[in-house]
Structure formats: C-alpha cells, structure tokens
Amino acid sequence: MSFFKISGTKQDSHGLELSINKEFIEAQEGKIAVDSVLGIGSTFTVTLKKKQGVISQYLYSILSSIEYCFYLLRNKLNIMKYFDIQETKKLLPFTKLVSAIEKAAIDYAKGTISSPTRLVTPIESGVMLAMPASAPDIAMTKLINICPENPSMGLRTINGELIIWDVNTGIPEYILDAPTVTARRTAAVSMLGVKLLAKKTSIFALYGNGDQASNHTEAIAHLYPYSTLYIIGRNMDNATQYCKERENLPLTLIPATQLPDEVDVVITTTTSPTPVYFDMARPERLVIGVGVFQPEKAEIEASVVRNSLIFVDDIQSALEEAGDILQAGVDWNEVLPLTDAIQTDINLLNTSNRPIFFKSVGCAAWDLAACRVAKRVLESKATD
C-alpha cells in the first residue's frame, strides 16, 4: 500500500502507534520495514512467520491494529492513500454501487450534486477527459486519458486517477484508479437501467469483449446469478475464449456470432464507430447502448432507436455525446432521463408498450456516487 503526505501541512506525530505495533510484530518473530522517498511517500512492509492455532487470531489482531494506526496517522498527518486497480475494485461492490447511483440520480436532478459536462481535450494519441463533481458531503475530480493504440504496445487503453477531496477543507483524501471506477460505475448504471426498465432478466447478451464487457459480465453474475449470458462477437474463437476465462462465474456463458431471439436484455459495450446491433426493436427486449460517447459514432442502428421509447442517464451529456440518438434524428423532447423511471413506474411512462432503448454516456455524478461507496467502505473498515 502507498501513502502520500500532503505538502504544506504542519502537524507533527510522535509515531507512538507504529512503535507499539513494531514491538508486537517483533514479539512474534516478525519484521516491519519502511521504504521512504522524500516528497513521494512511504511503503510499510510487514513480514510474519506462518503459525498455527490460537496464535493466528493474535496475529490477525496485530494486523488489524496496524491498519487502524494507519487510519489514525492519515487523519493526523493528512496522509492520502492511493488505491491500485484491485484495491479500487474491492471498494466498489455492485449492490452498493447500484443503490448509490440511484440515490445520486435523484440528488443530481434536485441540484444537490454539481456535475458539469466533462471537458474533452484532444491529445496526440487520443483524448483527455476532466470530470469534477461535488455535493454537500463529498467532492471528486477524475482525470483520464483514452489512447486506442495503447494495447498494441502492451498498455492500458484508459489511464488516469480519481481524487476524493474533503469537501470542507479541500484537502485530498484518497486516490482511486480512475479506469476501474469508470468501468464499475458504468456497469452499475446499466444494471440500474435493467432494474427499472427490463421486463425479464433471465437471458442477457453482451456485444464486446473489453473492460466494459468484463465489468458488465461481473455485474450480471453478481446481481442476476444463474442467468444466461450470450457473448456476441464477430470472431467465434475470441468469444469462446472470453467465456472460458470466466467459467467460474455463476452464469451460463454462451459464445455466439448471432443474437438469439429469446434474449431479454442486450448491452453493447464496443468502441465500434458503426452499428453492431441491427435487430428490430421489440417490446419484450431492453436494449442498452454503453460503448461509445462520441456524436459521430453509434452502436445501435438508427431505426431501432427511432422506434423505441428512449431513456438516457444524463440529458445534458447525451445532447452532446449520444451518437446513437443524435444520428437517429429523434425529437429530444421525447427523450426521458432515467430519473423519471426511478420516480415513476415504467408502466405509467410506457402506456403504449413501446420497445425501450437506454443510452448511457456517463457523467461525473455517477463517479461521485462511486466515491461515496468507496469512502463508506473505508470508514467501516477503519472502525471494525
């Protein structure tokens, strides 16, 4: 784990907590070491001998005490902790994410969350996005770069960090891995759409096999276990390999190149600039478009969009970025925010039983919701 000391702070600490734990660890024939780089941070490494029986519970108590000391030190010294990909993932369970985003959607509609449209700046190999958001209880800033050619060099397509700020002092508290936050909150927004808009949730289909598809697969497995999930791809071998790598999930995973008729929910997670979904709009099937957020790109064929009742996660962002809707030439006065489905039963909104298309483009309010979840998880751990 990594910690960062915020520059400009004046508080001193005698390090009593760490001294006590050092004695505990050495009493168990263990070692604690620290590696510090001036102006960068410190890494603490604890090594304990593996022991059996009742002593293991004692060692667990020591480790818990160390973790709590780090929590106390962070508060005393304004130390900001950085969470890597796996650590960030553990802070964002899907059940809590969906609930938090549902609440944030109401807050956002009421104006208690400030979430301006993201700033998109071209860079040489892609785009750079800046997404701030604030609420009375929390503030965050997400900075990410999207470089499509990175995988050819063995690098992540999306890189960046998300900073959670203390809303009263403006002091940064935590740094999360921004691509992980984005992927998990995007899947959670889709699952909120499924919860509110889908008629049935037994059979799903995903287009794509990247990070978004992977997080959606995990979300479906967690929230709709033992359902059937078709992985639709142009290449059957790739789809088969994708399913094989996830065969431990509580899902019936089926690779396919064509979409079966019995699918209840279709989710497109590709970066394709041209449509990948052409099937006619049908009332019994929910279609969710996730993968692209540029006005010139569309995953869903225009006739499907035009013949559907359309919901979006954020009207403001969709007006600028929802290529699926923009290219279909629909009347924006007929496009509904997902908040309407939170506040009103879908059967009252869709009295004519039209097919439903949900377009998710994302906004910083959903990142703020994820930050709320992460912070609560961290605070609950600190007090356990």
Side-chain angles (χ1 to χ4, degrees), residues 42 48 56 62 75 110 113 129 135 146 182 198 210 217 220 222 246 266 279 284 302 304 310 315 318 322 333 341 354:
S42 301
L48 295 169
S56 61
I62 292 174
N75 286 335
K110 290 179 178 177
I113 291 179
L129 309 179
I146 303 175
T182 301
T217 300
I220 293 168
H222 187 78
R246 293 159 180 83
V266 170
D279 206 5
E284 67 275 13
V304 177
I310 304 169
I315 290 283
N333 291 319
R354 296 178 63 188

Side-chain angles (χ1 to χ4, degrees), residues 194 197-201 264 283-286 347 350 353-354:
V194 171
L197 306 174
K199 291 187 175 181
K200 296 193 298 181
T201 55
D264 303 319
E284 67 275 13
R285 177 183 293 167
L286 171 64
N347 294 314
N350 189 19
N353 195 32
R354 296 178 63 188

Side-chain angles (χ1 to χ4, degrees), residues 167-320:
V167 75
N168 295 309
T169 65
I171 293 175
E173 297 183 295
Y174 306 104
I175 300 179
L176 308 183
D177 181 72
T180 302
V181 174
T182 301
R184 291 183 78 80
R185 64 84 160 148
T186 301
V189 170
S190 294
M191 295 303 102
L192 179 58
V194 171
K195 172 187 172 181
L196 298 171
L197 306 174
K199 291 187 175 181
K200 296 193 298 181
T201 55
S202 297
I203 306 175
F204 293 79
L206 272 178
Y207 285 76
N209 58 12
D211 286 344
Q212 282 293 356
S214 182
N215 278 273
H216 277 74
T217 300
E218 186 178 341
I220 293 168
H222 187 78
L223 298 172
Y224 299 95
Y226 310 109
S227 57
T228 297
L229 175 60
Y230 286 92
I231 303 300
I232 313 296
R234 293 189 179 95
N235 185 302
M236 188 64 172
D237 290 340
N238 290 345
T240 301
Q241 182 62 29
Y242 181 96
C243 293
K244 185 176 180 180
E245 291 171 355
R246 293 159 180 83
E247 59 188 7
N248 62 317
L249 294 175
L251 294 170
T252 300
L253 289 162
I254 304 174
T257 56
Q258 300 293 325
L259 182 70
D261 287 339
E262 67 267 20
V263 170
D264 303 319
V265 179
V266 170
I267 306 173
T268 59
T269 66
T270 77
T271 57
S272 175
T274 56
V276 297
Y277 181 79
F278 299 91
D279 206 5
M280 68 177 184
R282 51 182 74 186
E284 67 275 13
R285 177 183 293 167
L286 171 64
V287 177
I288 301 176
V290 174
V292 295
F293 58 91
Q294 294 94 341
E296 72 278 5
K297 296 182 179 181
E299 294 180 288
I300 312 299
E301 205 275 325
S303 65
V304 177
V305 179
R306 284 194 292 264
N307 291 315
S308 300
L309 177 62
I310 304 169
F311 288 85
V312 296
D313 61 332
D314 176 33
I315 290 283
Q316 182 181 352
S317 298
L319 281 166
E320 297 184 16

